[in-house]
mmCIF file of all heavy atoms in Angstrom:
data_model
loop_
_atom_site.group_PDB
_atom_site.id
_atom_site.type_symbol
_atom_site.label_atom_id
_atom_site.label_comp_id
_atom_site.label_asym_id
_atom_site.label_seq_id
_atom_site.Cartn_x
_atom_site.Cartn_y
_atom_site.Cartn_z
ATOM 1 N N GLN A 901 61.882 91.234 -36.593
ATOM 2 C CA GLN A 901 62.741 90.808 -37.700
ATOM 3 C C GLN A 901 64.199 91.043 -37.318
ATOM 4 O O GLN A 901 64.553 92.088 -36.783
ATOM 5 C CB GLN A 901 62.413 91.609 -38.950
ATOM 6 C CG GLN A 901 63.315 91.293 -40.118
ATOM 7 C CD GLN A 901 62.532 90.745 -41.279
ATOM 8 O OE1 GLN A 901 61.327 90.766 -41.286
ATOM 9 N NE2 GLN A 901 63.237 90.235 -42.252
ATOM 10 N N GLY A 902 65.035 90.036 -37.549
ATOM 11 C CA GLY A 902 66.461 90.167 -37.297
ATOM 12 C C GLY A 902 67.188 90.570 -38.572
ATOM 13 O O GLY A 902 66.572 90.863 -39.594
ATOM 14 N N ILE A 903 68.484 90.552 -38.513
ATOM 15 C CA ILE A 903 69.314 90.835 -39.689
ATOM 16 C C ILE A 903 69.550 89.510 -40.407
ATOM 17 O O ILE A 903 70.035 88.550 -39.814
ATOM 18 C CB ILE A 903 70.652 91.479 -39.267
ATOM 19 C CG1 ILE A 903 70.367 92.818 -38.585
ATOM 20 C CG2 ILE A 903 71.571 91.645 -40.461
ATOM 21 C CD1 ILE A 903 71.568 93.423 -37.894
ATOM 22 N N LYS A 904 69.193 89.454 -41.679
ATOM 23 C CA LYS A 904 69.329 88.217 -42.448
ATOM 24 C C LYS A 904 70.780 88.010 -42.854
ATOM 25 O O LYS A 904 71.447 88.935 -43.310
ATOM 26 C CB LYS A 904 68.433 88.248 -43.673
ATOM 27 C CG LYS A 904 66.955 88.262 -43.304
ATOM 28 C CD LYS A 904 66.090 88.212 -44.536
ATOM 29 C CE LYS A 904 64.635 88.343 -44.181
ATOM 30 N NZ LYS A 904 64.004 87.176 -43.709
ATOM 31 N N LYS A 905 71.256 86.776 -42.645
ATOM 32 C CA LYS A 905 72.634 86.410 -43.005
ATOM 33 C C LYS A 905 72.625 85.008 -43.589
ATOM 34 O O LYS A 905 71.710 84.233 -43.338
ATOM 35 C CB LYS A 905 73.532 86.431 -41.769
ATOM 36 C CG LYS A 905 73.674 87.807 -41.134
ATOM 37 C CD LYS A 905 74.747 87.819 -40.111
ATOM 38 C CE LYS A 905 76.040 87.873 -40.854
ATOM 39 N NZ LYS A 905 77.123 88.584 -40.342
ATOM 40 N N THR A 906 73.654 84.678 -44.313
ATOM 41 C CA THR A 906 73.844 83.316 -44.790
ATOM 42 C C THR A 906 75.001 82.718 -43.999
ATOM 43 O O THR A 906 76.121 83.218 -44.045
ATOM 44 C CB THR A 906 74.175 83.287 -46.292
ATOM 45 O OG1 THR A 906 73.101 83.907 -47.004
ATOM 46 C CG2 THR A 906 74.351 81.869 -46.791
ATOM 47 N N ASP A 907 74.700 81.656 -43.251
ATOM 48 C CA ASP A 907 75.690 80.983 -42.420
ATOM 49 C C ASP A 907 76.156 79.728 -43.147
ATOM 50 O O ASP A 907 75.342 79.014 -43.750
ATOM 51 C CB ASP A 907 75.061 80.616 -41.074
ATOM 52 C CG ASP A 907 76.037 79.929 -40.152
ATOM 53 O OD1 ASP A 907 76.779 80.635 -39.450
ATOM 54 O OD2 ASP A 907 76.057 78.676 -40.149
ATOM 55 N N GLN A 908 77.445 79.434 -43.084
ATOM 56 C CA GLN A 908 77.980 78.277 -43.803
ATOM 57 C C GLN A 908 77.452 76.946 -43.284
ATOM 58 O O GLN A 908 77.439 75.956 -44.001
ATOM 59 C CB GLN A 908 79.496 78.291 -43.787
ATOM 60 C CG GLN A 908 80.116 78.111 -42.415
ATOM 61 C CD GLN A 908 81.629 78.118 -42.457
ATOM 62 O OE1 GLN A 908 82.224 78.053 -43.517
ATOM 63 N NE2 GLN A 908 82.253 78.194 -41.291
ATOM 64 N N PHE A 909 76.974 76.904 -42.035
ATOM 65 C CA PHE A 909 76.457 75.660 -41.462
ATOM 66 C C PHE A 909 74.937 75.634 -41.372
ATOM 67 O O PHE A 909 74.309 74.611 -41.592
ATOM 68 C CB PHE A 909 77.050 75.417 -40.066
ATOM 69 C CG PHE A 909 78.548 75.320 -40.073
ATOM 70 C CD1 PHE A 909 79.315 76.355 -39.597
ATOM 71 C CD2 PHE A 909 79.180 74.198 -40.595
ATOM 72 C CE1 PHE A 909 80.699 76.282 -39.617
ATOM 73 C CE2 PHE A 909 80.557 74.103 -40.619
ATOM 74 C CZ PHE A 909 81.320 75.147 -40.134
ATOM 75 N N PHE A 910 74.316 76.782 -41.029
ATOM 76 C CA PHE A 910 72.876 76.838 -40.813
ATOM 77 C C PHE A 910 72.098 77.357 -42.022
ATOM 78 O O PHE A 910 70.877 77.329 -42.026
ATOM 79 C CB PHE A 910 72.547 77.712 -39.598
ATOM 80 C CG PHE A 910 73.075 77.172 -38.305
ATOM 81 C CD1 PHE A 910 74.065 77.844 -37.610
ATOM 82 C CD2 PHE A 910 72.586 75.992 -37.773
ATOM 83 C CE1 PHE A 910 74.554 77.361 -36.410
ATOM 84 C CE2 PHE A 910 73.068 75.491 -36.576
ATOM 85 C CZ PHE A 910 74.053 76.178 -35.899
ATOM 86 N N GLY A 911 72.784 77.882 -43.014
ATOM 87 C CA GLY A 911 72.101 78.442 -44.179
ATOM 88 C C GLY A 911 71.570 79.832 -43.883
ATOM 89 O O GLY A 911 72.225 80.631 -43.222
ATOM 90 N N GLU A 912 70.352 80.133 -44.367
ATOM 91 C CA GLU A 912 69.753 81.449 -44.150
ATOM 92 C C GLU A 912 69.261 81.562 -42.704
ATOM 93 O O GLU A 912 68.483 80.735 -42.258
ATOM 94 C CB GLU A 912 68.579 81.663 -45.110
ATOM 95 C CG GLU A 912 68.985 81.706 -46.570
ATOM 96 C CD GLU A 912 69.935 82.845 -46.891
ATOM 97 O OE1 GLU A 912 69.684 83.989 -46.431
ATOM 98 O OE2 GLU A 912 70.932 82.608 -47.588
ATOM 99 N N VAL A 913 69.736 82.560 -41.992
ATOM 100 C CA VAL A 913 69.367 82.771 -40.592
ATOM 101 C C VAL A 913 69.074 84.252 -40.353
ATOM 102 O O VAL A 913 69.417 85.104 -41.168
ATOM 103 C CB VAL A 913 70.487 82.303 -39.627
ATOM 104 C CG1 VAL A 913 70.707 80.812 -39.711
ATOM 105 C CG2 VAL A 913 71.785 83.054 -39.888
ATOM 106 N N GLU A 914 68.419 84.520 -39.218
ATOM 107 C CA GLU A 914 68.234 85.895 -38.753
ATOM 108 C C GLU A 914 68.997 86.026 -37.447
ATOM 109 O O GLU A 914 68.887 85.165 -36.575
ATOM 110 C CB GLU A 914 66.758 86.201 -38.527
ATOM 111 C CG GLU A 914 65.977 86.327 -39.806
ATOM 112 C CD GLU A 914 64.544 86.730 -39.553
ATOM 113 O OE1 GLU A 914 64.297 87.707 -38.821
ATOM 114 O OE2 GLU A 914 63.662 86.042 -40.090
ATOM 115 N N VAL A 915 69.767 87.100 -37.315
ATOM 116 C CA VAL A 915 70.599 87.291 -36.129
ATOM 117 C C VAL A 915 70.264 88.616 -35.454
ATOM 118 O O VAL A 915 69.679 89.516 -36.057
ATOM 119 C CB VAL A 915 72.105 87.230 -36.479
ATOM 120 C CG1 VAL A 915 72.462 85.881 -37.079
ATOM 121 C CG2 VAL A 915 72.500 88.342 -37.439
ATOM 122 N N TYR A 916 70.651 88.715 -34.177
ATOM 123 C CA TYR A 916 70.441 89.909 -33.368
ATOM 124 C C TYR A 916 71.774 90.283 -32.733
ATOM 125 O O TYR A 916 72.531 89.416 -32.331
ATOM 126 C CB TYR A 916 69.401 89.647 -32.274
ATOM 127 C CG TYR A 916 68.082 89.187 -32.843
ATOM 128 C CD1 TYR A 916 67.783 87.835 -32.945
ATOM 129 C CD2 TYR A 916 67.140 90.102 -33.290
ATOM 130 C CE1 TYR A 916 66.586 87.403 -33.484
ATOM 131 C CE2 TYR A 916 65.940 89.685 -33.832
ATOM 132 C CZ TYR A 916 65.663 88.335 -33.924
ATOM 133 O OH TYR A 916 64.479 87.921 -34.458
ATOM 134 N N TYR A 917 72.048 91.577 -32.626
ATOM 135 C CA TYR A 917 73.331 92.026 -32.109
ATOM 136 C C TYR A 917 73.256 92.769 -30.786
ATOM 137 O O TYR A 917 74.257 92.983 -30.153
ATOM 138 C CB TYR A 917 74.026 92.921 -33.141
ATOM 139 C CG TYR A 917 74.556 92.131 -34.301
ATOM 140 C CD1 TYR A 917 73.839 92.053 -35.490
ATOM 141 C CD2 TYR A 917 75.755 91.441 -34.216
ATOM 142 C CE1 TYR A 917 74.322 91.319 -36.563
ATOM 143 C CE2 TYR A 917 76.247 90.706 -35.278
ATOM 144 C CZ TYR A 917 75.526 90.653 -36.456
ATOM 145 O OH TYR A 917 75.996 89.929 -37.503
ATOM 146 N N SER A 918 72.101 93.214 -30.381
ATOM 147 C CA SER A 918 72.026 93.945 -29.116
ATOM 148 C C SER A 918 70.754 93.546 -28.391
ATOM 149 O O SER A 918 70.318 92.417 -28.505
ATOM 150 C CB SER A 918 72.093 95.459 -29.373
ATOM 151 O OG SER A 918 71.039 95.848 -30.228
ATOM 152 N N LYS A 919 70.145 94.448 -27.676
ATOM 153 C CA LYS A 919 68.945 94.132 -26.907
ATOM 154 C C LYS A 919 67.836 93.632 -27.823
ATOM 155 O O LYS A 919 67.746 94.030 -28.983
ATOM 156 C CB LYS A 919 68.469 95.357 -26.142
ATOM 157 C CG LYS A 919 69.400 95.764 -25.043
ATOM 158 C CD LYS A 919 68.850 96.952 -24.298
ATOM 159 C CE LYS A 919 69.820 97.363 -23.214
ATOM 160 N NZ LYS A 919 69.319 98.499 -22.444
ATOM 161 N N LEU A 920 66.997 92.787 -27.250
ATOM 162 C CA LEU A 920 65.925 92.157 -28.011
ATOM 163 C C LEU A 920 64.681 92.099 -27.145
ATOM 164 O O LEU A 920 64.753 91.721 -25.976
ATOM 165 C CB LEU A 920 66.368 90.734 -28.412
ATOM 166 C CG LEU A 920 65.369 89.848 -29.106
ATOM 167 C CD1 LEU A 920 65.013 90.416 -30.470
ATOM 168 C CD2 LEU A 920 65.950 88.454 -29.258
ATOM 169 N N THR A 921 63.555 92.480 -27.698
ATOM 170 C CA THR A 921 62.280 92.380 -27.007
ATOM 171 C C THR A 921 61.470 91.277 -27.664
ATOM 172 O O THR A 921 61.325 91.256 -28.889
ATOM 173 C CB THR A 921 61.508 93.712 -27.073
ATOM 174 O OG1 THR A 921 62.291 94.731 -26.453
ATOM 175 C CG2 THR A 921 60.167 93.607 -26.369
ATOM 176 N N VAL A 922 60.963 90.347 -26.857
ATOM 177 C CA VAL A 922 60.215 89.193 -27.361
ATOM 178 C C VAL A 922 58.835 89.204 -26.724
ATOM 179 O O VAL A 922 58.706 89.386 -25.511
ATOM 180 C CB VAL A 922 60.947 87.872 -27.011
ATOM 181 C CG1 VAL A 922 60.169 86.682 -27.506
ATOM 182 C CG2 VAL A 922 62.356 87.874 -27.577
ATOM 183 N N ASP A 923 57.792 89.018 -27.537
ATOM 184 C CA ASP A 923 56.432 88.894 -27.030
ATOM 185 C C ASP A 923 56.131 87.420 -26.802
ATOM 186 O O ASP A 923 56.272 86.603 -27.712
ATOM 187 C CB ASP A 923 55.428 89.476 -28.031
ATOM 188 C CG ASP A 923 55.548 90.982 -28.172
ATOM 189 O OD1 ASP A 923 55.794 91.652 -27.150
ATOM 190 O OD2 ASP A 923 55.401 91.480 -29.302
ATOM 191 N N LEU A 924 55.723 87.080 -25.571
ATOM 192 C CA LEU A 924 55.414 85.696 -25.215
ATOM 193 C C LEU A 924 53.908 85.512 -25.085
ATOM 194 O O LEU A 924 53.211 86.398 -24.604
ATOM 195 C CB LEU A 924 56.074 85.326 -23.886
ATOM 196 C CG LEU A 924 57.588 85.486 -23.799
ATOM 197 C CD1 LEU A 924 58.060 85.155 -22.395
ATOM 198 C CD2 LEU A 924 58.275 84.611 -24.820
ATOM 199 N N SER A 925 53.415 84.341 -25.504
ATOM 200 C CA SER A 925 52.018 83.952 -25.314
ATOM 201 C C SER A 925 52.015 82.755 -24.370
ATOM 202 O O SER A 925 52.174 81.609 -24.809
ATOM 203 C CB SER A 925 51.370 83.586 -26.648
ATOM 204 O OG SER A 925 51.362 84.696 -27.511
ATOM 205 N N LEU A 926 51.879 83.026 -23.083
ATOM 206 C CA LEU A 926 51.950 81.961 -22.090
ATOM 207 C C LEU A 926 50.753 81.026 -22.215
ATOM 208 O O LEU A 926 49.634 81.474 -22.462
ATOM 209 C CB LEU A 926 52.006 82.553 -20.684
ATOM 210 C CG LEU A 926 53.203 83.460 -20.391
ATOM 211 C CD1 LEU A 926 53.086 84.051 -18.993
ATOM 212 C CD2 LEU A 926 54.507 82.707 -20.550
ATOM 213 N N PRO A 927 50.970 79.707 -22.043
ATOM 214 C CA PRO A 927 49.876 78.741 -22.170
ATOM 215 C C PRO A 927 48.859 78.857 -21.041
ATOM 216 O O PRO A 927 47.712 78.437 -21.186
ATOM 217 C CB PRO A 927 50.578 77.386 -22.143
ATOM 218 C CG PRO A 927 51.877 77.630 -21.455
ATOM 219 C CD PRO A 927 52.243 79.056 -21.763
ATOM 220 N N GLU A 928 49.281 79.407 -19.895
ATOM 221 C CA GLU A 928 48.379 79.637 -18.761
ATOM 222 C C GLU A 928 49.029 80.666 -17.848
ATOM 223 O O GLU A 928 50.218 80.958 -17.964
ATOM 224 C CB GLU A 928 48.092 78.339 -18.014
ATOM 225 C CG GLU A 928 49.324 77.642 -17.467
ATOM 226 C CD GLU A 928 49.010 76.288 -16.849
ATOM 227 O OE1 GLU A 928 48.185 76.250 -15.923
ATOM 228 O OE2 GLU A 928 49.576 75.292 -17.298
ATOM 229 N N LYS A 929 48.246 81.201 -16.928
ATOM 230 C CA LYS A 929 48.764 82.196 -15.997
ATOM 231 C C LYS A 929 49.813 81.561 -15.085
ATOM 232 O O LYS A 929 49.556 80.513 -14.484
ATOM 233 C CB LYS A 929 47.622 82.766 -15.163
ATOM 234 C CG LYS A 929 48.048 83.863 -14.233
ATOM 235 C CD LYS A 929 46.876 84.435 -13.475
ATOM 236 C CE LYS A 929 47.355 85.487 -12.502
ATOM 237 N NZ LYS A 929 46.248 86.060 -11.744
ATOM 238 N N PRO A 930 50.993 82.167 -14.963
ATOM 239 C CA PRO A 930 52.026 81.609 -14.092
ATOM 240 C C PRO A 930 51.605 81.675 -12.618
ATOM 241 O O PRO A 930 51.081 82.677 -12.160
ATOM 242 C CB PRO A 930 53.234 82.502 -14.328
ATOM 243 C CG PRO A 930 52.957 83.256 -15.571
ATOM 244 C CD PRO A 930 51.473 83.342 -15.692
ATOM 245 N N ARG A 931 51.828 80.591 -11.913
ATOM 246 C CA ARG A 931 51.567 80.545 -10.467
ATOM 247 C C ARG A 931 52.779 81.107 -9.726
ATOM 248 O O ARG A 931 53.855 81.257 -10.307
ATOM 249 C CB ARG A 931 51.333 79.101 -10.031
ATOM 250 C CG ARG A 931 50.132 78.464 -10.684
ATOM 251 C CD ARG A 931 49.942 77.043 -10.174
ATOM 252 N NE ARG A 931 49.291 76.278 -11.227
ATOM 253 C CZ ARG A 931 49.557 75.024 -11.522
ATOM 254 N NH1 ARG A 931 50.451 74.347 -10.830
ATOM 255 N NH2 ARG A 931 48.920 74.419 -12.493
#
Side-chain angles (χ1 to χ4, degrees):
Q901 176 119 10
I903 297 169
K904 294 183 185 280
K905 296 191 77 145
T906 301
D907 181 85
Q908 66 179 349
F909 301 106
F910 296 114
E912 295 298 315
V913 295
E914 288 184 50
V915 300
Y916 303 95
Y917 287 99
S918 58
K919 292 182 181 181
L920 175 65
T921 300
V922 179
D923 292 322
L924 303 177
S925 298
L926 299 176
E928 59 186 303
K929 184 178 177 180
R931 298 182 208 142

